[in-house]
Amino acid sequence: MVNTLGPRSDCTSILTAGSARWFGRRCELGTSRRLGAAFRQTGFRLNFRWGLSVATLVLAASGLVSCAKRPVPSPPIAAISAPPRLVRTLFSYQPTARPASGQVKAVSLAGDFNSWSVSANPMTRRGNRWVASIRLSPGYHQYKFVINHRRWMNDPYAVRRVSNGMGGFNSQVAVVSPWLKLPPPSANSINPRAISFRPTNTRQFDVLSRHDVRIELLAQTGGLSHVRVMMPGSHPASIGLHVVGSRDGATTWANVIAVRGRRLRYYFELIHKTYHVFVAGGYLYAAAQAASDNAYESPMRANVVTPQWAKKAVWYEIFPERFRNGSKANDPGHHIPWRWDWTKPYRPAGEKGNFYSYVYKRFYGGDIQGIQQELGYLRRLGVNALYLTPVFAAPSIHKYDPSSFIHIDDGFGIKGSLAKIKGEHVRHPATWQWSASDKVFLSMLAAAHRQGFKVIIDVPFGHCGVDFPPFQNVLKYGRKSPYAKWFQITSWGPPVQYQGWDKPNGAMPLFARSKHYGLERQVRDYLFAATRRWLAPNGKVADGVDGFRLDTATDVPHRFWIAWRRLVKSINPQALIVGEIWTPAQAWLNRGNQFDAVMNYPFAQATTKYFVDTLRDGGRGLSSGQFAARLEQILGYYPYQVDLVNQNLLDSQDTDRFVSRFMNPNLPFNGADRLQDSNPHYNTAKPTAEAYERLKGVVAFQMAFAGAPMIWYGDEVGMWGASDPANRQPMLWKDLQPYDNPALTVNTSLLHFYRRAIAARRQLPALQIGSWGRLQIVGASRVFAYYRSLGHEHVYVVVNRSSRAVRIRMPVLAFDRGHHLLDYLSSRDCKLVFPPVPSTNGRPVLTRIRRGILARAGKKTLKLTLGPWQARLLARYRRGHFGAGFSR
């Protein structure tokens, strides 16, 4: 309960206020329970029909209440208030002429503020206009009108149009922050109308776990110099809040705080130069005691809940067909030798002609057995969570065209095992059986769990492959098929015509939609049953996968995902649900009723713009200030609970390799990285030594930032290439060297750096669940610095993205002054130690070699030297452990 009642000057005010709460706090009686006890002692029966003021007079006359034993606290100065974060903005569309598609029956507003959803913001008709009023964050927003659910058009009255990156344009609106309209801060005073804190706001009181909460206070930029959270009680404590960032006239102060118990009582101390006040219960107080008496009291109950283990995950994404060939017995007859030169045709497999006419049909023999064999390698790398792209039976190499959602592909397991399955019926899960390939997968899963890994699998629930038996039945029997309602049929022919994910009548038929169930009911029931099968094989959750990555998640209606999440969490509350959504995804994440996380492509795009692209000559790059603002915006899309589990990737199966971007700067992100169509001039040469040094700085930034870092297989050994298919080449293994292409060698220096950065991530809890904020480095525009904060634990991250060595002064938070800081990325400060050989689930840790750098007491900054492209990760020493890192 939050107490917002204002105080009274003395106990006589009780008589007029009639408040048992105020009476109890100001007089020695203490609480309403003691009030009742006092009445019983005098022989009175408490009857509120008398009125509390009369009851108080009786007690005062009898001498049972004394108002002289406690000092009277000061009254509040004022109630705090502040401009809203979001600004209500009115959009209006007026048809200038009858559209070519006919009468305007419906109009909706789509933009970057609702993930370009056609249904999120429908517009209302008023006369001959359509209007919508929504609240937007300050800044620039892109939008379009959607006419009759299908025709997209720009606002003809928009002040500005901007490129959409795909050859077209979007309308743009500028939203001005009301914080900029406040009077400027004055010296030695604090404006109560420029402070914002609401304990019911998930962003400002975000419970991360049973013992951790992120507290955030918003104030006018320049209006405060220090903020502390005060926690009264039997074990009083205080924790400083730190500046996370400043934008549009408002500064965010935040920290993550450890909490004992199920509720937290707290208030704030605000300091501006020599003036200080306290905030409690929505009021400003001059005295700490008054603030303590009226402290906020908030339950440690999260509004949005994500799996705890996912906050400590370091992800490794595996493309099974290209990771490792663990069994020759399941290899297809036309498979390519693992070390074969990628650019040359393999004649024994019949390859000839245009490279792209056969490369998508190449099989190298990667399988589940290969993944299980290399779990030891992955442990030594330090990762603890695996994301497998699709493993279900399918004819392609990528398996996004499944012929089954309940069986593993025989090419990944045991050849011919599916043919031995008899008597199964798609619509009757009781008839489903486990093939030998399925059992190989479950064996790998069990081995991974024993070695401390979490494993999630990729599923395309919006479509299937043409070999999917129900679809084949529709092609054969048309309207008479019992599965006729399962798919989006456009014509019954013959031949049958249908909508495909890739194209009309393509390789991936789309499932039919339903107004009530999201997907057609029988499709939904089949997918629900398949979900149960893999989450709890034979009813055992411990034997199942730890979650799902949802391919093309926006293709499936929200209604399906809401019901599906309820199913998943009812089976395994700690199962992780990750959506593939390339744009901001608030509609899927912020209510906590669909996904837990997304693959964080906005993070990858911003990282590319800052570390790769240039600012000169019309480049697409970002300055350090712009990069910091973009990161704040990305973290602001969702509750921090979600931010911490979003998969922070640099690249994936759908993009070019990050290191190759250094050879191809200033390209549209994921827009000009395919040799066969979007960019035949893409530079595919092996990256230079400098490019790999630059990559190390990016990796350090990624591993230390808020969110769960994810590695695309092979990045850690130096693999490079354009987007699909070049980004899916066979994994480089040291024991398979030399390769036919002599340029293909494992980059051992890069691999060692990855291990060190991952170990630091796992070893420092502040990097897993801590708050973050930018550190201002004066006079070094090409240095980016930030900190992570978890209570009194702070980690400082500094990256030099310059080819020259630089000397800087890095700000140091007060709690670390007078202490030594170790550079966890330096072999001079820390040694990387591998777990003992008998260990089955150990990961590398960093042990201290020397004391590190002294941050002198009384000095607000620390002198540092950074070499070209160097990154440093500084923190006070914390002992590591060899475990997987999921236990607190």
Side-chain angles (χ1 to χ4, degrees), residues 1-5 25 78-81 192 195-201 204-205 215-218 228-233 263-270 278-285 288 290-299:
M1 179 180 290
V2 179
N3 176 20
T4 59
L5 182 67
R25 286 191 175 181
I80 63 169
S81 62
I195 300 168
S196 173
F197 177 75
R198 289 170 48 205
T200 56
N201 185 315
Q204 296 194 293
F205 192 89
I215 294 181
E216 174 182 300
L217 183 138
L218 206 63
R228 296 190 69 80
V229 177
M230 317 297 290
M231 291 167 282
R263 304 182 70 87
L264 177 66
R265 290 192 73 245
Y266 59 102
Y267 61 95
F268 298 95
E269 181 183 23
L270 310 183
F278 304 89
V279 171
Y283 289 88
L284 219 61
Y285 292 92
S292 177
D293 289 342
N294 293 279
Y296 295 102
E297 187 169 342
S298 301

Side-chain angles (χ1 to χ4, degrees), residues 631-674:
L631 294 174
E632 290 174 32
Q633 183 184 40
I634 292 170
L635 290 177
Y637 288 147
Y638 317 114
Y640 204 62
Q641 173 96 231
V642 174
D643 289 329
L644 294 177
V645 299
N646 275 340
Q647 292 178 327
N648 286 350
L649 67 158
L650 299 177
D651 47 17
S652 73
Q653 73 272 33
D654 292 319
T655 72
D656 53 346
R657 296 268 180 183
F658 195 93
V659 72
S660 283
R661 294 176 199 165
F662 292 119
M663 312 295 288
N664 298 271
N666 299 317
L667 296 179
F669 180 75
N670 199 46
D673 55 0
R674 283 165 55 100

